[in-house]
Amino acid sequence: MIPSNVKAENIPLWLALIPLLFLMCLLGGAVYIFGDGSSSGPNQIGLILAAAVACLIGVLRGQSWKELETAIIEGIMLAMHACLILLLIGSLIGAWMLSGTAPAIIHLGLGVLDPAWFYPASMVVCALVAVSIGSSWTTAATVGLALIGIAHILGLSIEITAGAVISGAYFGDKMSPLSDSTNLAPAMVGVDLFVHIRHMFWTTTPAFVLSVVLFTWLGWQNAAVATDTGAIETARTLLEQNYRLGIPVFLPLLLLLGLSIAKVPALPTITIGAIAGGLVAAFYQTDATIAFGRAGTEISDGLATVKGLWVAVSTGYEASIGDEVLDKLLSRGGMSSMLNTVWLIISAMCFGGAMEHTGLLGRIVQTALKGVKGTGSLVITTVFTSIGMNIIAADQYIAIVLPGRMYQLEFRRRGLAPENLSRTLEDAGTMTSALVPWNTCGAFMATTLGVPTFAYLPYAFLNLLTPVIAIIYGLLNIRITPLEEITEEEEQDMINTEVVND
């Protein structure tokens, strides 16, 4: 974002809080009135109106509309990469539904997953996949989506399943050296990547173990209400009758995993995965593709194939198996399914851009720093600042970058090694991003998994526990690494860097 010429210390705190409090009232009202539908328009309107209030304050304090407009546009541009990924994942889901890739994963899972162990197994599977590919989003959109389908058929809670998927996906994303956020956090504060990962082990592993225990307990509690084996076999039979479930349908998934492990960037990886799904649909799932494309019209097989692929990646696949649960489960995907989420992200970035450029966000952070007295309070302040960034700026990367810039010098002044800061940024910034409905991550997970953010939030145990453990470690001085001695020149460099960043 373009730098602001507004000094945050000159802004009264009450004035800085007005847009935030206004937004909280609007979002609370939207949830009260519209419930789960609040993210389908009401939240977006609330974010835009709150951004307008922040801009009004900026204009009244002497900023021009032109520079505010530029700041908002640059804020939106920060989220364009995420928006492109969203659209491409929408097309990938549609292609994989048509190709039989997603139905095949569901079919396989129904045959091997025990309802009593389904929740912890879902978390562990997603963790392993995410560690391998370094992406929570791709994990949720592929394996996670299939697990949601399996939960539907088993009669298990999709809210708890979504919590398990997100917990596992974020564990893997956080601990994988292939993850962009895991590379960003240490880079922001000057820490070696593997030092950073080893340091995160101490807060993330206890959270992971506790989460597995909780999901195991929930699994045992819910196993009694699971669908009987006859219904499961019926679902598997219907999938076998309507799709060819041979080895070729797994090729798009294997290709996607291979490209991710090879560190191919997300956009081409997802694009290639969608194209691979389309090719499998055209040449292996041919009858189903022709039937979907023809849909009652009299067109040739070739045109029906092209139309079927085109519709699946643009507006989504519509299943017609004849079973209400399976048809609803498999009818999804398409770029258009992600447009509401893109709208939500753009609205959130408008608010974040306005708050940052007017200096209102900086004023709130300055006040938070005044309460720092020791290591524990510094860790707590960093945790809540990162959470606040996820809420206000609505982007995981901003929740890592801004607090990293703000507190880097403070950690060093207090004799704390920078890996303490990079770990805390991930414990709070990365982990809580999926818990905010209008954050890029929360919006993505809700749209992809088909479960509202506030519905899965109580069960995203790893995401909830990790910042709590980080705070406990800070207060009790557990696994807090002291800073090695630095020279006067290095200290001056840090001060100069802080001045430049400000």
Side-chain angles (χ1 to χ4, degrees), residues 222-268:
N222 285 268
V225 301
T227 302
D228 61 82
T229 55
I232 295 171
E233 286 306 314
T234 299
R236 297 189 80 216
T237 301
L238 284 171
L239 290 172
E240 291 167 1
Q241 292 172 348
N242 286 271
Y243 299 94
R244 298 178 67 187
L245 302 179
I247 293 175
V249 299
F250 291 99
L251 295 179
L253 175 61
L254 296 174
L255 179 61
L256 185 78
L257 293 174
L259 291 172
S260 299
I261 293 171
K263 299 184 181 180
V264 176
L267 288 174

Side-chain angles (χ1 to χ4, degrees), residues 122-434:
S122 296
M123 179 180 173
V124 172
V125 167
C126 287
L128 292 173
V129 172
V131 167
S132 300
I133 66 176
S135 172
S136 56
W137 284 26
T138 305
T139 301
T142 52
V143 179
L145 183 59
L147 289 167
I148 291 290
I150 295 169
H152 265 293
I153 296 169
L154 292 176
L156 297 172
S157 167
I158 60 170
E159 293 82 7
I160 298 176
T161 304
V165 166
I166 291 167
S167 293
Y170 272 82
F171 171 85
D173 189 313
K174 187 182 179 190
M175 300 304 290
S176 172
L178 304 177
S179 168
D180 47 6
S181 62
T182 304
N183 280 272
L184 176 63
M188 279 304 305
V189 299
V191 178
D192 177 77
L193 172 62
F194 291 99
V195 170
H196 169 67
I197 292 175
R198 286 195 297 271
H199 205 52
M200 287 196 298
F201 175 86
W202 298 105
T203 53
T204 310
T205 301
F208 184 85
V209 173
L210 286 172
S211 298
V212 169
V213 170
L214 289 169
F215 283 123
T216 301
W217 178 76
L218 286 173
W220 291 346
Q221 296 294 313
N222 285 268
V225 301
T227 302
D228 61 82
T229 55
I232 295 171
E233 286 306 314
T234 299
R236 297 189 80 216
T237 301
L238 284 171
L239 290 172
E240 291 167 1
Q241 292 172 348
N242 286 271
Y243 299 94
R244 298 178 67 187
L245 302 179
I247 293 175
V249 299
F250 291 99
L251 295 179
L253 175 61
L254 296 174
L255 179 61
L256 185 78
L257 293 174
L259 291 172
S260 299
I261 293 171
K263 299 184 181 180
V264 176
L267 288 174
T269 293
I270 296 168
T271 301
I272 293 170
I275 292 172
L279 292 174
V280 170
F283 294 104
Y284 185 74
Q285 214 71 251
T286 310
D287 292 342
T289 303
I290 291 173
F292 177 63
R294 184 166 286 153
T297 61
E298 293 299 327
I299 56 177
S300 67
D301 289 354
L303 285 177
T305 300
V306 172
K307 181 183 175 183
L309 293 172
W310 206 319
V311 172
V313 300
S314 60
T315 59
Y317 173 65
E318 292 184 15
S320 55
I321 291 177
D323 180 270
E324 184 178 352
V325 173
L326 282 175
D327 283 343
K328 183 178 179 180
L329 174 64
L330 299 175
S331 297
R332 60 181 64 216
M335 287 190 179
S336 64
S337 68
M338 297 294 179
L339 292 178
N340 189 69
T341 306
V342 170
W343 177 23
L344 181 63
I345 291 171
I346 290 174
S347 302
M349 298 309 290
C350 286
F351 178 68
M355 285 292 289
E356 182 178 6
H357 191 71
T358 53
L360 303 177
L361 184 58
R363 180 65 180 88
I364 295 171
V365 171
Q366 279 188 358
T367 301
L369 264 178
K370 290 180 180 178
V372 173
K373 304 298 181 183
T375 299
S377 59
L378 180 57
V379 170
I380 291 172
T381 300
T382 305
V383 166
F384 281 102
T385 301
S386 294
I387 295 172
M389 291 299 103
N390 272 324
I391 295 172
I392 299 173
D395 184 79
Q396 169 185 286
Y397 301 114
I398 295 177
I400 292 173
V401 172
L402 287 184
R405 283 171 46 188
M406 294 168 186
Y407 300 137
Q408 181 178 5
L409 186 59
E410 192 67 25
F411 268 75
R412 288 184 178 271
R413 282 175 175 163
R414 294 176 180 273
L416 302 174
E419 54 262 35
N420 298 301
L421 174 56
S422 65
R423 181 181 71 185
T424 306
L425 293 174
E426 289 250 62
D427 288 341
T430 298
M431 284 298 186
T432 63
S433 58

